[in-house]
Amino acid sequence: MDQVSELGAWLKQGCQRHAVARVLRKPMTPNEIWQAARGFAPRIQLRDVWFLLRQMQAKELVQCLNPNAVTGKLFTYSDLGRNVAATAGITLANP
């Protein structure tokens, strides 16, 4: 199994991870991601979003556009993350 399909399988595991992957369609703050993801995973908490974003960042699927900001950090898919999401068949939610 290659890295893209392995990461795609990881991304689709768990309803919270899948919800975050679905709603991350543009640069968004964790709070915006949380509010949008609640439509797909009603029990998701803001702390879960932060945890998932850190995991996704460690796997180089997402990147923070302003890492030095104290508040209002913006996260978006990296090139690898977009490729993995497309390969995994994760349809991005409409805005």
Side-chain angles (χ1 to χ4, degrees), residues 44-82:
I44 194 167
Q45 300 292 319
L46 184 57
R47 67 174 179 228
D48 299 326
V49 172
W50 274 106
F51 178 76
L52 292 170
L53 286 172
R54 280 194 300 273
Q55 281 186 330
M56 292 168 79
Q57 210 171 10
K59 294 181 182 289
E60 298 178 0
L61 297 176
V62 298
Q63 60 187 3
C64 182
L65 298 178
N66 53 349
N68 295 329
V70 177
T71 59
K73 290 185 186 230
L74 291 172
F75 289 89
T76 189
Y77 272 124
S78 65
D79 292 334
L80 173 65
R82 285 196 189 283

Side-chain angles (χ1 to χ4, degrees), residues 10-29:
W10 177 82
L11 204 56
K12 288 175 27 175
Q13 288 175 344
C15 67
Q16 292 181 347
R17 188 180 302 150
H18 189 256
V20 169
R22 254 184 106 170
V23 301
L24 191 61
R25 61 192 173 276
K26 61 179 181 173
M28 300 171 78
T29 65

